[in-house]
Amino acid sequence: MTEYRRLFIPGGRYFFTVVTYQRRSIFNEPQHVNLLREAFKHIMESRPFTIDAIVILPDHLHCIWQLPDNDDDFSGRWREIKKYVSKRIGAEGKRPREKDVWQRRFWEHAIRDEDDWRRHVDYIHYNPVKHSLVTSPAQWPYSSFRKAVAAGWYDSNWGCNGQPATIKDMDIE
């Protein structure tokens, strides 16, 4: 059996990939996206963290979180978010005591520095284009891209002329 090792850093910043069970397109439904957003807000009230960037695609999502100082429990937060969504949209699945909404695990990467952060933010915002869902990051409705443009991180046409050089070698699916 594979042994999973996670790097827990109090106050850390992490990039996550979370995938639906069997890559089902659960988040094609706007009400399911809204439910996921509601789950984030609900969990953030009791277990605070900030989201630097996020994209929600039909069968997976990517995001970057910043945890509070002296807190490294991203796993507990994901457990609660997944549970919140599963209780509301999940059907009883083939797995004992589980609903078939999410893959059991998620993938995380501890952000090392400003360049690493920037590459992962770019990856998040370009992801809908990578998956041929839109031709421009600005066209995808379930992304923090427009907030990033408003914050001055990007020009509104960023990503329209092909894959940015910062993410050419990244494949985090």
Side-chain angles (χ1 to χ4, degrees), residues 65-108:
W65 291 2
Q66 169 80 55
L67 296 177
D69 293 339
N70 301 316
D71 188 341
D72 64 2
D73 187 20
F74 56 81
S75 293
R77 286 170 172 85
W78 275 120
R79 181 180 54 253
E80 293 304 313
I81 290 167
K82 289 171 135 184
K83 185 168 45 173
Y84 187 98
V85 172
S86 296
K87 282 183 176 179
R88 287 156 181 83
I89 65 172
E92 291 302 322
K94 297 176 181 85
R95 301 176 293 177
R97 299 181 319 273
E98 290 186 52
K99 305 218 179 201
D100 288 343
V101 177
W102 302 102
Q103 283 187 3
R104 286 190 177 148
R105 293 182 175 84
F106 56 86
W107 189 84
E108 94 283 343

Coordinates of all heavy atoms in Angstrom, one line a residue, residues 65-108:
W65 N -4.6 27.9 -0.6 CA -5.0 28.4 0.7 C -3.8 28.9 1.5 O -2.7 28.4 1.4 CB -5.6 27.2 1.5 CG -6.8 26.6 1.1 CD1 -7.6 26.9 0.0 CD2 -7.5 25.6 1.8 NE1 -8.7 26.1 0.0 CE2 -8.7 25.3 1.1 CE3 -7.2 24.8 2.9 CZ2 -9.6 24.3 1.5 CZ3 -8.1 23.9 3.3 CH2 -9.3 23.6 2.6
Q66 N -4.1 29.9 2.3 CA -3.2 30.3 3.4 C -3.8 30.0 4.7 O -4.9 30.4 5.0 CB -2.9 31.8 3.2 CG -2.2 32.4 4.4 CD -0.7 32.2 4.3 OE1 -0.1 32.6 3.3 NE2 -0.1 31.6 5.4
L67 N -3.1 29.2 5.5 CA -3.6 28.8 6.8 C -3.2 29.9 7.9 O -2.2 30.5 7.7 CB -3.1 27.4 7.2 CG -3.5 26.3 6.4 CD1 -2.9 25.0 6.9 CD2 -5.1 26.1 6.4
P68 N -4.0 30.0 8.9 CA -3.6 30.9 10.0 C -2.3 30.4 10.7 O -1.9 29.3 10.7 CB -4.7 30.8 11.0 CG -5.9 30.1 10.3 CD -5.2 29.3 9.2
D69 N -1.6 31.4 11.3 CA -0.4 31.1 12.1 C -0.8 30.0 13.1 O -1.9 30.0 13.6 CB 0.1 32.3 12.8 CG 0.6 33.4 11.8 OD1 1.0 33.0 10.7 OD2 0.7 34.6 12.2
N70 N 0.2 29.1 13.4 CA 0.0 28.1 14.4 C -1.1 27.1 14.0 O -1.6 26.4 14.9 CB -0.2 28.7 15.8 CG 0.9 29.6 16.2 OD1 2.1 29.2 16.0 ND2 0.6 30.7 16.7
D71 N -1.4 27.0 12.8 CA -2.5 26.0 12.3 C -2.0 25.4 11.1 O -1.7 26.0 10.1 CB -3.8 26.8 12.1 CG -5.0 25.8 11.9 OD1 -4.8 24.6 11.5 OD2 -6.1 26.3 12.0
D72 N -2.0 24.0 11.1 CA -1.5 23.3 9.9 C -2.6 22.2 9.4 O -2.3 21.4 8.6 CB -0.2 22.6 10.1 CG -0.3 21.5 11.2 OD1 -1.4 21.2 11.7 OD2 0.8 20.9 11.5
D73 N -3.8 22.3 9.9 CA -4.8 21.3 9.6 C -5.6 21.6 8.4 O -6.8 21.8 8.4 CB -5.7 21.1 10.8 CG -6.6 19.9 10.7 OD1 -6.3 19.0 9.8 OD2 -7.7 19.9 11.4
F74 N -5.0 21.4 7.2 CA -5.7 21.6 6.0 C -6.6 20.3 5.7 O -7.6 20.4 5.2 CB -4.8 21.9 4.8 CG -3.7 20.9 4.6 CD1 -3.9 19.7 3.9 CD2 -2.4 21.2 5.0 CE1 -2.8 18.8 3.7 CE2 -1.3 20.3 4.8 CZ -1.6 19.1 4.2
S75 N -6.1 19.2 6.2 CA -6.8 17.9 6.0 C -8.2 17.9 6.7 O -9.2 17.5 6.1 CB -6.0 16.7 6.5 OG -4.9 16.5 5.7
G76 N -8.2 18.4 7.9 CA -9.5 18.5 8.6 C -10.5 19.5 7.9 O -11.7 19.2 7.8
R77 N -10.0 20.5 7.3 CA -10.8 21.5 6.6 C -11.4 20.8 5.3 O -12.6 20.9 5.1 CB -10.0 22.7 6.2 CG -9.8 23.6 7.4 CD -8.8 24.7 7.1 NE -8.7 25.7 8.1 CZ -7.9 25.6 9.2 NH1 -7.1 24.5 9.3 NH2 -7.8 26.6 10.1
W78 N -10.5 20.1 4.6 CA -11.0 19.4 3.4 C -12.0 18.3 3.8 O -13.0 18.2 3.1 CB -9.9 18.8 2.6 CG -9.3 19.8 1.7 CD1 -8.0 20.2 1.6 CD2 -9.9 20.5 0.6 NE1 -7.8 21.1 0.6 CE2 -9.0 21.3 0.0 CE3 -11.2 20.5 0.1 CZ2 -9.3 22.2 -1.1 CZ3 -11.5 21.3 -1.0 CH2 -10.6 22.1 -1.5
R79 N -11.8 17.6 4.8 CA -12.8 16.6 5.3 C -14.1 17.2 5.5 O -15.2 16.7 5.1 CB -12.3 15.9 6.6 CG -13.2 14.8 7.1 CD -12.7 14.1 8.3 NE -12.4 15.1 9.4 CZ -11.2 15.4 9.8 NH1 -10.1 14.9 9.2 NH2 -11.0 16.3 10.8
E80 N -14.2 18.4 6.2 CA -15.4 19.0 6.5 C -16.1 19.6 5.2 O -17.3 19.6 5.1 CB -15.2 20.1 7.5 CG -14.8 19.6 8.9 CD -15.8 18.6 9.4 OE1 -17.0 18.9 9.4 OE2 -15.4 17.5 9.9
I81 N -15.3 20.2 4.3 CA -15.9 20.7 3.1 C -16.5 19.6 2.3 O -17.6 19.7 1.8 CB -14.8 21.5 2.3 CG1 -14.4 22.8 3.0 CG2 -15.2 21.7 0.8 CD1 -13.2 23.4 2.5
K82 N -15.7 18.5 2.1 CA -16.2 17.4 1.3 C -17.5 16.8 2.0 O -18.5 16.4 1.3 CB -15.1 16.3 1.2 CG -14.0 16.7 0.3 CD -12.9 15.7 0.4 CE -12.3 15.2 -0.9 NZ -11.3 14.2 -0.8
K83 N -17.5 16.7 3.3 CA -18.6 16.1 4.0 C -19.9 17.0 3.8 O -21.0 16.5 3.6 CB -18.3 16.0 5.5 CG -19.4 15.3 6.3 CD -18.9 14.9 7.7 CE -18.2 15.9 8.4 NZ -17.9 15.5 9.9
Y84 N -19.7 18.3 3.9 CA -20.8 19.3 3.7 C -21.4 19.1 2.4 O -22.6 19.0 2.3 CB -20.2 20.7 3.9 CG -21.2 21.8 3.9 CD1 -21.7 22.3 5.1 CD2 -21.7 22.3 2.7 CE1 -22.6 23.4 5.2 CE2 -22.7 23.3 2.8 CZ -23.1 23.9 4.0 OH -24.0 24.9 4.0
V85 N -20.6 19.0 1.3 CA -21.1 18.9 0.0 C -21.8 17.5 -0.2 O -22.9 17.4 -0.7 CB -20.0 19.1 -1.1 CG1 -20.5 18.8 -2.5 CG2 -19.5 20.6 -1.0
S86 N -21.1 16.5 0.3 CA -21.6 15.1 0.1 C -23.0 14.9 0.7 O -23.8 14.2 0.2 CB -20.6 14.1 0.6 OG -19.4 14.1 -0.1
K87 N -23.2 15.4 1.9 CA -24.4 15.3 2.6 C -25.6 15.9 1.8 O -26.7 15.5 2.0 CB -24.4 15.9 4.0 CG -23.6 15.1 5.0 CD -23.7 15.7 6.4 CE -23.0 14.8 7.4 NZ -23.0 15.5 8.7
R88 N -25.3 16.9 1.0 CA -26.3 17.6 0.3 C -26.6 17.2 -1.1 O -27.7 17.3 -1.6 CB -26.0 19.1 0.4 CG -26.3 19.6 1.8 CD -25.5 20.9 2.1 NE -25.7 21.3 3.5 CZ -25.1 20.9 4.5 NH1 -24.2 19.9 4.4 NH2 -25.4 21.4 5.7
I89 N -25.6 16.6 -1.8 CA -25.8 16.2 -3.1 C -25.4 14.7 -3.4 O -25.6 14.2 -4.5 CB -25.0 17.0 -4.2 CG1 -23.5 16.9 -4.0 CG2 -25.5 18.5 -4.1 CD1 -22.7 17.6 -5.1
G90 N -24.9 14.1 -2.4 CA -24.3 12.7 -2.6 C -25.4 11.6 -2.7 O -26.4 11.7 -1.9
A91 N -25.2 10.7 -3.5 CA -26.1 9.5 -3.5 C -25.3 8.4 -2.8 O -24.1 8.4 -2.8 CB -26.4 9.1 -4.9
E92 N -26.0 7.5 -2.2 CA -25.3 6.4 -1.5 C -24.5 5.7 -2.6 O -25.0 5.4 -3.7 CB -26.3 5.4 -0.9 CG -27.0 6.0 0.3 CD -26.0 6.4 1.4 OE1 -25.0 5.7 1.6 OE2 -26.3 7.4 2.1
G93 N -23.3 5.4 -2.3 CA -22.4 4.9 -3.3 C -22.1 3.4 -3.1 O -22.6 2.7 -2.2
K94 N -21.1 2.9 -3.9 CA -20.7 1.6 -3.8 C -19.7 1.3 -2.6 O -19.5 0.2 -2.2 CB -20.1 1.1 -5.1 CG -21.1 1.2 -6.3 CD -20.4 0.8 -7.6 CE -21.4 0.9 -8.7 NZ -21.5 2.2 -9.3
R95 N -19.1 2.4 -2.2 CA -18.1 2.4 -1.1 C -18.9 2.4 0.2 O -19.7 3.3 0.5 CB -17.1 3.5 -1.2 CG -16.4 3.5 -2.6 CD -15.5 4.6 -2.7 NE -16.2 5.9 -2.8 CZ -15.7 7.1 -2.9 NH1 -14.4 7.2 -2.9 NH2 -16.4 8.2 -3.0
P96 N -18.5 1.5 1.2 CA -19.2 1.5 2.5 C -19.1 2.8 3.2 O -18.0 3.4 3.3 CB -18.5 0.4 3.2 CG -17.7 -0.4 2.2 CD -17.5 0.5 1.1
R97 N -20.2 3.3 3.7 CA -20.3 4.5 4.5 C -19.8 5.7 3.8 O -19.4 6.7 4.4 CB -19.6 4.3 5.9 CG -20.1 3.2 6.7 CD -19.3 3.1 8.0 NE -17.9 3.2 8.0 CZ -17.0 2.2 7.7 NH1 -17.5 1.0 7.5 NH2 -15.8 2.5 7.7
E98 N -19.9 5.7 2.5 CA -19.4 6.9 1.7 C -20.5 7.2 0.6 O -21.2 6.3 0.2 CB -18.1 6.6 1.0 CG -16.9 6.6 2.0 CD -15.6 6.4 1.2 OE1 -15.3 7.3 0.3 OE2 -14.8 5.5 1.5
K99 N -20.5 8.5 0.3 CA -21.3 8.9 -0.9 C -20.4 9.1 -2.0 O -19.2 9.5 -1.9 CB -22.0 10.2 -0.5 CG -22.8 10.0 0.8 CD -24.1 10.8 0.7 CE -24.8 10.5 2.0 NZ -26.2 10.8 1.9
D100 N -20.8 8.8 -3.2 CA -20.0 8.9 -4.4 C -19.9 10.3 -5.0 O -20.5 10.6 -6.0 CB -20.4 7.9 -5.4 CG -20.1 6.5 -5.1 OD1 -19.3 6.3 -4.1 OD2 -20.7 5.6 -5.6
V101 N -19.2 11.2 -4.3 CA -19.1 12.6 -4.7 C -17.6 12.9 -5.0 O -17.3 13.4 -6.0 CB -19.7 13.6 -3.7 CG1 -19.4 15.0 -4.1 CG2 -21.1 13.4 -3.5
W102 N -16.7 12.5 -4.0 CA -15.3 12.9 -4.1 C -14.4 11.6 -4.2 O -14.7 10.6 -3.6 CB -14.9 13.6 -2.8 CG -15.7 14.9 -2.6 CD1 -16.7 15.0 -1.7 CD2 -15.5 16.1 -3.2 NE1 -17.2 16.3 -1.7 CE2 -16.5 17.0 -2.7 CE3 -14.7 16.6 -4.2 CZ2 -16.6 18.3 -3.1 CZ3 -14.8 17.9 -4.6 CH2 -15.7 18.8 -4.1
Q103 N -13.3 11.8 -4.8 CA -12.2 10.8 -4.6 C -11.8 10.9 -3.1 O -11.9 12.0 -2.5 CB -11.0 11.1 -5.5 CG -11.2 10.7 -6.9 CD -9.9 10.8 -7.7 OE1 -8.9 11.2 -7.2 NE2 -10.1 10.6 -9.0
R104 N -11.3 9.8 -2.6 CA -11.0 9.8 -1.2 C -9.9 10.8 -0.8 O -10.0 11.4 0.3 CB -10.6 8.4 -0.8 CG -11.7 7.4 -0.7 CD -11.4 6.1 -0.1 NE -12.6 5.3 0.0 CZ -12.6 4.0 -0.1 NH1 -11.5 3.3 -0.3 NH2 -13.7 3.4 0.0
R105 N -8.9 10.9 -1.6 CA -7.8 11.7 -1.2 C -7.8 13.0 -2.0 O -8.6 13.2 -2.9 CB -6.5 11.0 -1.4 CG -6.4 9.8 -0.3 CD -5.1 9.1 -0.5 NE -5.0 8.1 0.6 CZ -5.5 6.9 0.6 NH1 -6.2 6.5 -0.5 NH2 -5.3 6.1 1.6
F106 N -6.8 13.9 -1.7 CA -6.6 15.1 -2.5 C -5.1 15.2 -2.7 O -4.3 14.5 -2.0 CB -7.2 16.3 -1.9 CG -6.8 16.5 -0.5 CD1 -5.6 17.2 -0.2 CD2 -7.5 16.0 0.6 CE1 -5.1 17.4 1.1 CE2 -7.1 16.2 1.9 CZ -5.9 16.9 2.2
W107 N -4.7 16.0 -3.6 CA -3.3 16.3 -3.8 C -2.9 17.7 -3.3 O -3.7 18.6 -3.6 CB -2.9 16.1 -5.3 CG -1.5 16.1 -5.6 CD1 -0.6 15.1 -5.5 CD2 -0.7 17.3 -5.9 NE1 0.7 15.5 -5.8 CE2 0.6 16.8 -6.1 CE3 -1.0 18.6 -6.2 CZ2 1.7 17.6 -6.5 CZ3 0.1 19.4 -6.5 CH2 1.4 19.0 -6.7
E108 N -1.9 17.8 -2.5 CA -1.4 19.1 -2.1 C 0.0 19.3 -2.3 O 0.8 18.4 -2.5 CB -1.8 19.3 -0.6 CG -0.7 19.0 0.4 CD -0.4 17.5 0.6 OE1 -1.3 16.7 0.3 OE2 0.6 17.1 1.2

